[in-house]
Amino acid sequence: MDQLEKASQKSMLHPKPKGLMLQYGTAGFRTTAKHLDHVMFRMGLLATLRSRKTKSTIGVMVTASHNPEEDNGLKLIDPMGEMVTPSWEGYATQLANAEQEVLCSALKDIIEKETINMSETASVFVGRDTRPSSQRLSQAVLDGVSCLGGQIQDYGLVTTPQLHYMVRCRNTHGCYGTDTLQGYYQKLSQAFIELTKNARNHTDDQKRLLVDGANGIGALKVRELEACLQSELQMVLFNDGSNGKLNYLCGADYVKVQQKPPQGQLEYSPWCERCCSFDGDADRIVYYYNDSDGSFHLLDGDKIATLISTYLKELLTQAGLNLQIAVVQTAYANGSSTQYLEDIMKVTVSCTKTGVKHLHHAAQKFDIGVYFEANGHGTALFSEKAEKEIQQLVKDPNVSDEKKHAAKLLENTINLINQATGDAISDMLVIEAVLAIRGMTVQEWDSIYTDLPNRQLTVKVADRRMIDTADAERRAVTPAGLQDSIDALVKKYTKARAFVRPSGTEDLVRVYAEAETQESADVLAHEVSLAVYHMAGGVGEKPKP
Ligand code: G16
């Protein structure tokens, strides 16, 4: 039997609920887990086609990241470990929504359009998070891959960034690293230990870090990493999944949006102690601490980007390297961070739409591109030119000790960074190394600039696609009149800014507001939410102040 017919027949074992329409969103498919079996099987098919097309290994990660435990989802990973290219997101949506009768022709269509040679070998790496539904759903992916004759490597429980890393290692034939968990831990821990040899006053107290594992996969993987770090970092893990629910009252998204510590933190850390939270698949991280008055301080993706980019910029200057460094942010970036980077640090800042795929792409345009979403999702990318110049300097016998030292630090930092995608574990180690090298406390890092008070809210609407945006999501184009209303509201407050956008991972509209005082930011966010509710088809209860 023809491969495609076989796939189509097998797909009857993974039936699509009639009429269900899903879209490949900000980071893949996301919805309640019970609606995803057919999507998983079909994405197994699609990943196999993508592998034949690119003659490379492709990754499929089963996760819904920051979403509630009942949800699930899937992220497709392209050959260099980046998110799948946008034209194939379109195919993913078409295939997920094709009714059973037309599935075979939908597959044929992709094969013809992309001129895929079906006799090529195909290879797909699969991973999953700790959700109760993930094992079953990842089996559906495996079924899809084997049905089209693809070779499978099933990594089982891994963080999303670990799977991105494996894909990149495999497709660079080991140049990027070894495509095993042990290889990942070894590469990162060796670089970390090398870097922390340059630490100032690295006492046991300073090596201590509280880690909120969001009751997810990150907690399991931190435990595995621990042994390789030779006590250079002493992690106290909480929300480790032993009893709490995934992402519930904990994790990076909760801490960032609620602007408060996760459940359990105070038991471990009364005040002034450095803490961080991962999200459900460990591709995001935020830091925070409680000061001696008990007030909570958040160091989000913007503060992380600032710390990393200033550290890299200083090293470039010390090494005498003339490489262009830029920071990529989204509309959620705090106004103070952008101002600090542009005016004080004199770093190029660019703004893209939400979604790591957009930031990653924009960061690739620079010699060194540091990208972070305010929610803590990000990494740094080094161009081939940048890596080469740094390596040459390390090897050059005629350069001064100071320059060589800076180049060596840059080289180890590159090894510590997961350039495939934002990675909570790798980012945590980079941050810890930078703080140690600079002899900097979390309070000193926090005081680099002061965030403008801000508030994020969500609004339920009948159809979030009613809202269309432009200018990197900073302006709403539809429904008519909504942007004028937002503009009028913003004008009432000092140093204010607000925008709205439909979420690409949850069925709701997100509202962001910042202003000179917390009270103004809160009131503005509420007023903008009401405007969305009234003008964009709000459902359920009206947003309350
Ligand atoms: C995903 C994306 C992020 C994005 C977040 C929220 O994160 O990878 O780039 O910021 O969703 O997206 P939205 O506002 O469209 O819902 P994660 O960690 O959930 O995969």
Side-chain angles (χ1 to χ4, degrees):
M1 197 195 314
D2 166 68
Q3 271 185 28
L4 296 188
E5 273 171 33
K6 186 176 148 209
S8 169
Q9 276 203 2
K10 270 256 173 150
S11 101
M12 286 187 224
L13 300 172
H14 302 276
K16 171 183 177 297
K18 266 250 178 273
L20 177 71
M21 301 297 268
L22 297 169
Q23 201 183 346
Y24 197 96
T26 311
F29 291 103
R30 293 260 171 112
T31 187
T32 163
K34 58 178 190 277
H35 286 151
L36 280 169
D37 184 63
H38 70 292
V39 175
M40 297 289 161
F41 174 77
R42 293 166 184 213
M43 290 311 108
L45 302 176
L46 189 70
T48 314
L49 297 184
R50 179 85 186 133
S51 171
R52 291 204 165 105
K53 168 74 189 179
T54 57
K55 299 188 174 60
S56 307
T57 291
I58 295 298
V60 180
M61 180 71 195
V62 177
T63 180
S65 191
H66 76 275
N67 289 47
E69 190 168 275
E70 301 68 43
D71 284 1
N72 216 322
L74 169 147
K75 297 177 178 178
L76 287 171
I77 303 168
D78 249 4
M80 287 307 284
E82 70 281 38
M83 301 287 188
V84 76
T85 193
S87 56
W88 280 68
E89 286 187 4
Y91 294 145
T93 301
Q94 280 164 25
L95 214 54
N97 294 330
E99 296 302 340
Q100 176 62 39
E101 314 77 76
V102 294
L103 183 62
C104 196
S105 62
L107 286 165
K108 268 190 196 138
D109 206 36
I110 299 170
I111 293 166
E112 273 166 30
K113 271 196 193 133
E114 295 291 332
T115 53
I116 294 167
N117 176 357
M118 291 299 282
S119 53
E120 280 282 347
T121 55
S123 149
V124 179
F125 283 3
V126 181
R128 65 183 148 89
D129 71 12
T130 53
R131 280 161 211 271
S133 58
S134 290
Q135 186 156 18
R136 174 179 60 81
L137 291 174
S138 101
Q139 187 54 53
V141 175
L142 301 176
D143 288 352
V145 178
S146 58
C147 192
L148 281 190
Q151 290 163 11
I152 295 167
Q153 181 144 340
D154 181 8
Y155 283 91
L157 290 168
V158 280
T159 69
T160 298
Q162 286 177 331
L163 191 70
H164 283 258
Y165 176 88
M166 304 304 171
V167 170
R168 190 178 175 112
C169 290
R170 173 59 61 97
N171 291 321
T172 54
H173 309 287
C175 289
Y176 192 66
T178 313
D179 57 8
T180 60
L181 276 174
Q182 210 41 42
Y184 170 89
Y185 296 132
Q186 258 162 21
K187 181 175 177 190
L188 265 57
S189 57
Q190 271 167 18
F192 181 73
I193 288 164
E194 278 307 308
L195 284 171
T196 50
K197 283 181 186 160
N198 303 281
R200 293 191 213 165
N201 312 321
H202 209 205
T203 60
D204 277 356
D205 271 0
Q206 275 147 352
K207 290 180 188 171
R208 192 176 132 103
L209 172 70
L210 267 76
V211 181
D212 159 23
N215 291 319
I217 183 70
L220 301 185
K221 299 300 156 182
V222 155
R223 287 247 151 83
E224 292 174 7
L225 166 78
E226 214 165 14
C228 306
L229 292 175
Q230 298 174 7
S231 308
E232 279 309 307
L233 179 63
Q234 290 162 17
M235 294 177 285
V236 180
L237 185 62
F238 66 111
N239 295 326
D240 64 353
S242 51
N243 44 49
K245 205 173 170 187
L246 177 71
N247 295 330
Y248 181 65
L249 303 179
C250 62
D253 199 65
Y254 173 84
V255 173
K256 166 70 180 155
V257 175
Q258 302 300 324
Q259 302 187 22
K260 55 177 164 191
Q263 176 169 272
Q265 183 232 7
L266 281 175
E267 290 164 35
Y268 296 93
S269 161
W271 51 277
C272 286
E273 184 133 41
R274 234 166 39 248
C275 310
C276 68
S277 283
F278 292 5
D279 73 338
D281 63 343
D283 61 4
R284 296 197 218 168
I285 187 168
V286 293
Y287 269 66
Y288 45 92
Y289 66 97
N290 298 319
D291 68 19
S292 41
D293 308 333
S295 23
F296 173 76
H297 295 255
L298 175 69
L299 293 95
D300 62 4
D302 302 335
K303 285 249 157 114
I304 298 172
T306 308
L307 181 78
I308 295 177
S309 58
T310 40
Y311 160 77
L312 293 174
K313 194 163 185 244
E314 268 176 30
L315 288 179
L316 290 177
T317 311
Q318 282 166 23
L321 287 167
N322 186 19
L323 294 167
Q324 195 198 7
I325 181 163
V327 174
V328 183
Q329 305 184 312
T330 68
Y332 290 103
N334 196 279
S336 297
S337 73
T338 316
Q339 199 184 9
Y340 176 82
L341 287 163
E342 285 179 333
D343 300 351
I344 315 285
M345 286 311 300
K346 310 280 179 213
V347 166
T348 308
V349 179
S350 95
C351 183
T352 70
K353 284 163 80 170
T354 299
V356 175
K357 56 194 176 194
H358 302 298
L359 289 100
H360 192 95
H361 187 66
Q364 282 172 326
K365 296 188 182 129
F366 303 95
D367 295 330
I368 300 176
V370 178
Y371 73 81
F372 267 90
E373 293 185 296
N375 63 23
H377 204 160
T379 187
L381 305 183
F382 294 79
S383 66
E384 244 180 79
K385 174 186 163 205
E387 289 204 14
K388 219 183 208 161
E389 287 190 23
I390 292 165
Q391 281 157 9
Q392 273 167 1
L393 208 57
V394 171
K395 285 190 206 128
D396 189 342
N398 301 318
V399 294
S400 68
D401 286 351
E402 194 206 355
K403 282 187 177 170
K404 198 177 276 271
H405 178 69
K408 205 72 200 116
L409 285 175
L410 282 166
E411 191 180 48
N412 279 314
T413 307
I414 293 173
N415 286 334
L416 188 52
I417 288 172
N418 185 350
Q419 294 192 56
T421 193
D423 180 339
I425 291 181
S426 151
D427 290 339
M428 171 186 77
L429 294 177
V430 174
I431 293 162
E432 290 301 310
V434 173
L435 293 178
I437 292 167
R438 291 182 143 191
M440 205 178 196
T441 63
V442 70
Q443 290 87 346
E444 284 164 343
W445 170 22
D446 190 28
S447 66
I448 292 180
Y449 64 84
T450 306
D451 272 324
L452 275 171
N454 57 87
R455 180 63 60 202
Q456 275 190 58
L457 297 174
T458 55
V459 186
K460 269 258 172 217
V461 295
D463 181 1
R464 66 195 200 272
R465 288 170 302 181
M466 255 193 87
I467 297 187
D468 198 6
T469 62
D471 187 19
E473 302 180 318
R474 288 173 288 200
R475 300 195 65 76
V477 187
T478 61
L482 177 61
Q483 188 59 49
D484 292 341
S485 302
I486 297 173
D487 290 343
L489 293 168
V490 166
K491 269 200 193 128
K492 296 182 356 191
Y493 304 94
T494 314
K495 290 193 182 165
R497 188 169 72 85
F499 66 89
V500 303
R501 54 174 286 278
S503 162
T505 59
E506 294 173 80
D507 189 12
L508 35 84
V509 174
R510 297 201 196 279
V511 172
Y512 176 87
E514 66 183 32
E516 194 172 35
T517 64
Q518 189 63 56
E519 197 192 351
S520 304
D522 289 349
V523 177
L524 176 58
H526 176 244
E527 289 172 342
V528 173
S529 300
L530 282 177
V532 171
Y533 185 87
H534 290 304
M535 301 174 81
V539 291
E541 244 186 282
K542 247 197 219 173
K544 287 204 186 103

